[in-house]
Amino acid sequence: MTKLLNGNQLAKEIRKEISKEIEKKILSKNKRIPHLGIILTGTNNSSITYVNSKIKECKNIGIQSTLVKLPIDSTEEKLLEEIKKMNTNPLIDGFIVQLPLEKHIDQDQIILSINPKKDVDGFHPENFGKMALDMKTFFPATALGILTLLERSKIKISGKHTVVIGRSRIVGKPISILMSRKSYPGNSTVTLTHSNTLNIEYYTKQADIIIVAVGITGFLKGNMIKNGAIIIDVGINKNGKNILGDVDFRSVYGKASYLTPVPGGVGPMTRVMLLKNTLMAALTNRKHPTL
Ligand code: NAD
């Protein structure tokens, strides 16, 4: 029997917890509500959809959001200027620059220019380094969402062999670090595989947990996993109006012990973790107690 891990349900519970925490730690002390800044450049349809859903999530939970939209031909200097404003605005607790950026903009320079204390995406090297060194910091939302989904589903990961497929900065790398951290949850033995890995089945067949983030519909098939493996499908692949994962649901369902559905698995967990990071920023960044 395969149990589906319901990210929608868990995200709903976590949203309630965040709301309660905002009430208890912020509003009841007459402080202003947490405030997330979002910078969106260009006209990429997926980015616009993601940003709209982030704004909606904020609204539903009682987090203020401010969107700065820049035209597609904005220069890197203009974007850096907007980042500077967010960095120095005491009324913005944390902010994100929606990725990907247009080709003429140096993404590394942009990420480096974000104040790490306001980097609620957790992409700044300072935060990434802290994450790798077992320190407290902002963790990238998808990786934190996966870790939380496993933890709250009471799935033991310590001592288990995890195979991560994909090494992107936003998913594969951070989740491989978080799974192997010397902390709870963590302590998994991690193999990070990618497009240059030879004979990937050799690794996936040994895995207790497989986290797939490749962006290829149905990449992980039932004959690549062992019986009872735990499968986390990060993929969001559009097929007309349908959204399909990186896991071949038909052949994996029934063989895996746990599986995240697409949609309704990792996606909602990712969205709620941005809210969690924004609350964390509001609780840690404000210098004056009444702010
Ligand atoms: P990416 O394109 O940045 O990275 C893909 C990774 O897959 C690369 O590291 C590459 O080495 C690896 N890869 C490609 N082909 C491979 C192969 N044949 N064998 C092994 N590895 C291979 O993608 P990403 O940003 O990490 O996103 C991956 C997927 O996850 C996409 O479908 C994306 O839409 C989705 N995603 C979902 C969420 C969510 O919240 N659910 C969040 C972010 C990304």
Side-chain angles (χ1 to χ4, degrees), residues 84-135:
K84 199 171 173 190
K85 284 188 207 159
M86 294 265 183
N87 279 341
T88 51
N89 182 348
L91 299 178
I92 295 279
D93 293 303
F95 70 97
I96 62 164
V97 178
Q98 183 66 40
L99 302 178
L101 298 170
E102 300 305 321
K103 286 210 171 65
H104 65 278
I105 293 179
D106 182 344
Q107 186 169 294
D108 287 351
Q109 277 313 315
I110 296 305
I111 292 173
L112 279 165
S113 70
I114 296 173
N115 177 353
K117 289 194 168 61
K118 293 192 176 191
D119 169 38
V120 285
D121 259 343
F123 295 155
H124 190 285
E126 183 176 315
N127 291 324
F128 224 83
K130 282 182 171 174
M131 174 173 67
L133 295 172
D134 301 331
M135 296 178 185

Side-chain angles (χ1 to χ4, degrees), residues 53-282:
S53 100
K54 285 168 189 179
I55 292 171
K56 197 168 150 206
E57 289 265 353
C58 284
K59 201 170 167 204
N60 288 344
I61 207 176
I63 287 180
Q64 188 184 349
S65 65
T66 294
L67 172 64
V68 173
K69 263 186 183 172
L70 295 178
I72 194 161
D73 55 356
S74 298
T75 59
E76 191 171 312
E77 287 65 36
K78 176 67 186 154
L79 180 52
L80 288 168
E81 215 175 273
E82 292 301 329
I83 290 172
K84 199 171 173 190
K85 284 188 207 159
M86 294 265 183
N87 279 341
T88 51
N89 182 348
L91 299 178
I92 295 279
D93 293 303
F95 70 97
I96 62 164
V97 178
Q98 183 66 40
L99 302 178
L101 298 170
E102 300 305 321
K103 286 210 171 65
H104 65 278
I105 293 179
D106 182 344
Q107 186 169 294
D108 287 351
Q109 277 313 315
I110 296 305
I111 292 173
L112 279 165
S113 70
I114 296 173
N115 177 353
K117 289 194 168 61
K118 293 192 176 191
D119 169 38
V120 285
D121 259 343
F123 295 155
H124 190 285
E126 183 176 315
N127 291 324
F128 224 83
K130 282 182 171 174
M131 174 173 67
L133 295 172
D134 301 331
M135 296 178 185
K136 189 174 183 311
T137 188
F138 300 113
F139 300 145
T142 304
L144 181 58
I146 295 169
L147 201 69
T148 309
L149 187 58
L150 290 167
E151 182 196 6
R152 298 281 283 259
S153 308
K154 302 204 165 29
I155 293 172
K156 190 173 174 273
I157 63 174
S158 172
K160 297 273 171 74
H161 180 203
T162 299
V163 169
V164 176
I165 313 179
R167 59 178 162 187
S168 71
R169 289 180 184 190
I170 65 165
V171 189
K173 274 207 184 92
I175 192 58
S176 67
I177 291 171
L178 285 181
M179 293 294 283
S180 63
R181 268 169 56 113
K182 191 177 175 184
S183 66
Y184 174 80
N187 287 316
S188 183
T189 304
V190 175
T191 303
L192 178 57
T193 65
H194 45 77
S195 51
N196 287 298
T197 301
L198 301 178
N199 193 7
I200 205 159
E201 293 90 340
Y202 171 80
Y203 302 97
T204 55
K205 278 181 183 161
Q206 298 175 40
D208 301 310
I209 303 171
I210 304 176
I211 301 170
V212 203
V214 289
I216 302 172
T217 307
F219 178 85
L220 187 78
K221 304 212 168 15
N223 62 8
M224 295 166 72
I225 69 167
K226 70 176 182 186
N227 281 328
I230 295 153
I231 311 294
I232 305 296
D233 188 352
V234 184
I236 299 181
N237 306 302
K238 290 197 180 120
N239 180 6
K241 282 195 172 168
N242 296 327
I243 292 178
L244 300 169
D246 287 346
V247 171
D248 179 44
F249 192 90
R250 229 184 263 180
S251 59
V252 167
Y253 189 83
K255 193 168 184 190
S257 56
Y258 292 91
L259 172 62
T260 57
V262 177
V266 176
M269 292 301 295
T270 298
R271 293 197 291 276
V272 83
M273 289 304 140
L274 177 65
L275 306 175
K276 205 167 175 161
N277 280 348
T278 304
L279 171 61
M280 183 167 131

